[in-house]
């Protein structure tokens, strides 16, 4: 495989559709950024189908089955059915909740461990970071929140804000459920402006942040009064619901600042929050703010002056003219000349989810034993992900994971002397060793699946070239490849690998022939997953 030649030239800032060469490298870059690990064959399919068809296919949000009851502490939903619309068993609702929480996080890991070629899970993580909500004490509410960000992941951003605003989990998380006319709570009102829609901007005066003022926060809190939550851990209600109580709502007229054209929001009961959000989205900074976040997540954390001048405004214009639909913006971004500039490749450090599931998904490794075993394996993997610094369902604070907002390091924060060692240890554990063990069943990287799917498995040189192209966005130098080939062949001449692999293919199902091949590939993968070139995306 011939790598692209890197030349010293300015980064393309062109947001017009990419018309350059469509090689394995471009296809792999697209799939890495859109998925948690694509197989070699999926990238080859993208290469065959071309950029336009591949992007169109990626920009889908397929439906998924809900989490299932598998834990003995789940005493309401029958085993193997979903609990998401089940009541709780009184008086000990905590036992039900413990079981549902474990089921929920295991299901989330199962969703990430998928080989469907679409952007859904990457978008779900983006929105989970944007609306950084920790799981509440009723897993049905947490599940419903995740269903909003999944079903609307490429939908209308304005509508998503409206739905999240009165979602029971968010009402609980940011004190909206206790926000009332007698005691206005500014918690959600502040985050709605600062973190979800406009950004804080630059302070230009006392309590004035160039996009909103402290008085706007106070007015917003009054606008948002009146909603509460009913049905938490209910033994009769199948799901928590948001409820508007008119007497808890401040129905006076609220005055907004000059940043909102000095608009007054008249009392409008249960729909007043929606009126307010419509006003917020009239600010140009609403489109710019979310486009910056999409750019940092999918392209590059380095928001240069050139990018701010030439890229973000084009994205924001596309968002605005499409009434804040996210799909057209993502379609434009993933097809743009700028996105495929070689300087963009490898510009981000893989987060733990991207690292771990690129191991599993590229090898089509799934537990596939039985419900209890599979969910138990995924639960163990969930805890391991937390050790690496990313509790998937629990961002560390309301701003999300620091790697997505903490200047100037951004994604570099995923790696330090501790987390890097833990990442390396897990890579060894899931490749060279038995992996996650549940009742004598093992969940690990399937090395044979990987090597069998490459372009020319009997050739040691091609195996190493393909693995480097699959996992590493930037070129791997000849010396490093030679070292990897030495591991693959165990220092023997290349033809020995050819003979060994062909013997394995001639005796499929015989461990005596499969194990030597598997072990050599596992050793290569273990080394490759610890290379600096692998840590970027």
């Amino acid at each position: 495989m011939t790598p692209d030649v890197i030349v010293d030239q300015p980064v393309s800032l062109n947001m017009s559709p990419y018309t350059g060469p469509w090689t394995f490298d471009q296809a792999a870059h697209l799939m890495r950024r859109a998925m948690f690990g694509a197989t070699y064959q999926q990238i080859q399919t993208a290469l065959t189908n071309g950029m336009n068809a591949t992007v169109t296919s990626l920009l889908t949000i397929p439906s998924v089955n809900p989490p299932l009851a598998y834990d003995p502490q789940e005493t309401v939903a029958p085993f193997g059915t979903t609990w998401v619309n089940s009541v709780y068993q009184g008086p000990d609702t905590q036992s039900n909740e413990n079981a549902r929480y474990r089921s929920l996080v295991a299901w989330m890991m199962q969703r990430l461990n998928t080989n469907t070629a679409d952007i859904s899970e990457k978008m779900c993580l983006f929105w989970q970071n944007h609306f950084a909500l920790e799981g509440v004490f009723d897993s049905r509410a947490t599940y419903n929140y995740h269903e909003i960000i999944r079903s609307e992941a490429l939908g209308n951003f304005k509508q998503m804000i409206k739905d999240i605003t009165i979602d029971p989990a968010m009402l609980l998380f940011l004190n909206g459920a206790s926000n009332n006319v007698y005691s206005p709570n500014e918690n959600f009102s502040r985050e709605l402006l600062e973190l979800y829609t406009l950004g804080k901007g630059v302070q230009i005066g006392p309590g004035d942040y160039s996009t909103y003022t402290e008085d706007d926060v106070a007015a917003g809190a009054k606008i948002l009064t009146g909603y509460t939550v009913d049905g938490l851990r209910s033994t009769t209600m199948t799901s928590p619901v948001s409820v508007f109580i008119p007497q808890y709502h401040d129905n006076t007229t609220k005055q907004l600042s000059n940043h909102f054209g000095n608009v007054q929001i008249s009392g409008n009961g249960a729909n007043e929050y929606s009126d307010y959000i419509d006003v917020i989205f009239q600010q140009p900074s609403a489109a710019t703010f979310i486009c910056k976040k999409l750019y940092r997540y999918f392209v590059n954390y380095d928001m240069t002056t050139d990018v701010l001048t030439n890229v973000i405004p084009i994205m924001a214009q596309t968002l605005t003219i499409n009434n804040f639909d996210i799909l057209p913006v993502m379609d434009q971004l993933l097809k743009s000349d700028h996105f495929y500039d070689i300087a963009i490749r490898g510009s981000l450090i893989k987060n733990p989810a991207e690292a771990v599931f690129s191991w599993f998904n590229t090898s089509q490794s799934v537990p596939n034993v039985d419900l209890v075993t599979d969910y138990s394996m995924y639960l163990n993997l969930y805890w391991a992900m937390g050790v690496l610094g990313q509790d998937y369902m629990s961002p560390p604070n309301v701003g999300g994971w620091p790697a997505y907002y903490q200047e100037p390091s951004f994604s570099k924060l995923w790696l330090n002397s501790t987390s890097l060692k833990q990442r390396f240890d897990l890579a060894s554990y899931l490749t060279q060793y038995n992996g996650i063990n549940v009742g004598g069943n093992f969940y690990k990287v399937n090395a044979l699946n990987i090597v069998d799917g490459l372009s020319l498995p009997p050739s040691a040189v091609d195996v190493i070239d393909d693995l480097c192209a699959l996992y590493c966005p930037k070129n791997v130098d000849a010396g490093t490849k030679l070292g990897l080939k030495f591991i693959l062949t165990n220092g023997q001449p290349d033809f020995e690998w050819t003979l060994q692999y062909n013997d394995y293919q001639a005796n499929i199902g015989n461990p005596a022939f499969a194990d030597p091949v598997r072990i050599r590939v596992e050793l290569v993968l273990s080394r490759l997953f610890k290379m600096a070139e692998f840590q970027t995306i």
Side-chain angles (χ1 to χ4, degrees):
M1 184 170 303
T2 303
D4 288 338
V5 177
I6 300 177
V7 295
D8 187 14
Q9 60 184 12
V11 176
S12 168
L13 299 169
N14 184 5
M15 289 299 290
S16 298
Y18 174 73
T19 57
W22 185 249
T23 70
F24 187 95
D25 294 320
Q26 283 80 24
H29 170 65
L30 171 62
M31 303 297 270
R32 286 191 202 99
R33 293 296 177 93
M35 297 171 60
F36 286 104
T39 67
Y40 188 87
Q41 189 54 55
Q42 283 173 325
I43 297 173
Q44 287 286 6
T45 299
L47 177 60
T48 300
N49 291 345
M51 179 189 71
N52 289 328
T54 301
V55 170
T56 298
S57 178
L58 286 169
L59 293 177
T60 58
I61 305 294
S63 61
V64 294
N65 294 323
L68 303 176
Y70 83 103
D71 190 299
Q73 286 191 300
E74 174 54 66
T75 57
V76 179
F79 178 85
T81 67
T82 188
W83 47 263
V84 299
N85 290 311
S86 293
V87 299
Y88 278 76
Q89 178 72 53
D92 182 17
T93 62
Q94 187 59 50
S95 293
N96 284 168
E97 177 56 26
N98 291 341
R100 293 173 183 188
Y101 177 83
R102 287 190 286 267
S103 170
L104 182 62
V105 297
W107 171 74
M108 288 177 176
M109 295 297 96
Q110 185 181 50
R111 273 176 35 184
L112 293 176
N113 186 197
T114 177
N115 281 109
T116 57
D118 63 73
I119 202 171
S120 58
E121 295 306 329
K122 273 293 184 76
M123 290 301 308
C124 286
L125 183 57
F126 171 81
W127 290 119
Q128 187 185 161
N129 180 72
H130 185 71
F131 301 109
L133 178 147
E134 295 182 27
V136 296
F137 48 88
D138 185 327
S139 287
R140 300 173 306 175
T142 307
Y143 168 79
N144 291 337
Y145 155 81
H146 280 275
E147 277 302 284
I148 289 176
I149 62 177
R150 180 183 180 84
S151 63
E152 302 183 30
L154 290 170
N156 188 268
F157 180 45
K158 187 193 301 186
Q159 185 59 49
M160 187 185 227
I161 290 285
K162 292 181 179 182
D163 292 341
I164 287 290
T165 296
I166 60 170
D167 173 67
M170 184 59 80
L171 286 170
L172 292 168
F173 180 60
L174 287 180
N175 307 112
S178 58
N179 180 27
N180 60 70
V181 64
Y182 307 108
S183 180
N185 187 298
E186 297 181 358
N187 202 358
F188 182 81
S189 176
R190 183 176 304 280
E191 309 310 355
L192 175 63
L193 298 175
E194 180 178 343
L195 297 180
Y196 301 158
T197 58
L198 301 178
K200 195 169 185 177
V202 178
Q203 187 162 359
I204 58 176
D208 189 336
Y209 309 111
S210 73
T211 53
Y212 65 90
T213 68
E214 287 294 330
D215 289 341
D216 292 323
V217 174
K222 295 177 181 179
I223 292 168
L224 296 165
T225 55
Y227 276 92
T228 188
V229 176
D230 192 16
L232 288 171
R233 293 200 188 181
S234 173
T235 58
T236 58
M237 295 179 63
T238 58
S239 182
V241 294
S242 58
V243 179
F244 181 77
I245 302 177
Q247 56 267 38
Y248 287 173
H249 177 65
D250 185 329
N251 217 37
T252 63
T253 297
K254 294 84 177 177
Q255 178 70 55
L256 300 181
S257 72
N258 63 299
H259 297 302
F260 302 95
N262 296 307
V263 166
Q264 292 182 330
I265 302 292
S266 301
N268 193 20
N271 296 317
E272 192 172 329
Y273 80 96
S274 181
D275 299 339
Y276 177 44
I277 290 171
D278 287 338
V279 171
I280 292 173
F281 272 81
Q282 291 173 14
Q283 269 215 50
S285 53
T288 301
F289 179 70
I290 195 64
C291 286
K292 286 180 180 178
K293 294 195 75 170
L294 287 166
Y295 182 89
R296 281 205 164 107
Y297 185 81
F298 282 101
V299 185
N300 193 356
Y301 67 81
D302 188 11
M303 198 76 67
T304 65
T305 301
D306 285 338
V307 169
L308 288 170
T309 303
N310 298 285
V311 175
I312 301 302
I314 301 298
M315 294 173 63
Q317 181 184 38
T318 299
L319 185 63
T320 303
I321 64 177
N322 285 281
N323 193 32
F324 290 91
D325 283 346
I326 297 294
L327 178 60
V329 178
M330 290 305 301
D331 184 78
Q332 177 186 51
L333 182 63
L334 298 183
K335 291 178 180 177
S336 69
D337 191 76
H338 176 66
F339 180 78
Y340 293 98
D341 191 288
I342 196 167
I344 300 301
R345 288 186 227 158
S347 60
L348 300 171
I349 301 295
K350 286 186 176 81
N351 64 42
E354 288 166 334
V356 171
F357 286 99
S358 68
W359 305 339
F360 286 122
N361 293 342
T362 52
S363 63
Q364 302 177 73
S365 304
V366 295
N368 198 28
V369 181
D370 55 58
L371 178 59
V372 173
T373 302
D374 290 1
Y375 269 35
S376 298
M377 288 178 173
Y378 283 127
L379 186 61
N380 277 279
L381 183 59
Y382 176 78
W383 302 130
M385 288 271 293
V387 171
L388 296 184
Q390 192 170 34
D391 288 307
Y392 182 81
M393 199 177 70
S394 300
N397 59 65
V398 72
W401 286 280
Y404 295 115
Y405 66 81
Q406 190 67 60
E407 299 184 57
S409 299
F410 289 102
S411 69
K412 295 176 184 177
L413 293 173
W414 290 122
L415 296 180
N416 55 49
S417 58
T418 299
S419 63
L420 188 61
K421 180 182 183 303
Q422 291 165 336
R423 189 178 288 201
F424 287 179
D425 289 346
L426 187 60
S428 295
Y429 187 66
L430 295 173
T431 53
Q432 292 177 257
Y433 304 107
N434 286 332
I436 298 172
N437 180 359
V438 176
N441 297 287
F442 302 100
Y443 176 38
K444 61 180 293 188
V445 174
N446 190 324
L448 292 178
N449 273 356
I450 293 177
V451 71
D452 289 347
L454 301 179
S455 65
L456 193 60
S459 166
V461 172
D462 286 280
V463 166
I464 299 305
D465 282 346
D466 288 353
L467 289 176
C468 289
L470 176 63
Y471 288 110
C472 304
K474 291 186 178 294
N475 296 331
V476 177
D477 65 71
T480 301
K481 286 185 176 181
L482 190 62
L484 292 172
K485 185 165 73 71
F486 185 90
I487 295 172
L488 182 70
T489 62
N490 200 20
Q492 300 298 309
D494 290 3
F495 73 83
E496 294 287 356
W497 164 259
T498 303
L499 294 174
Q500 189 176 52
Y501 184 83
N502 287 339
D503 285 345
Y504 147 66
Q505 283 292 301
N507 296 274
I508 293 294
N510 189 335
F513 294 92
D515 287 350
V517 172
R518 175 183 55 78
I519 290 169
R520 299 318 306 174
V521 178
E522 287 175 349
L523 290 170
V524 171
L525 293 174
S526 179
R527 175 68 187 92
L528 193 153
F529 293 159
K530 298 165 190 171
M531 288 166 37
E533 294 89 340
F534 170 81
Q535 309 309 325
T536 63
I537 190 170

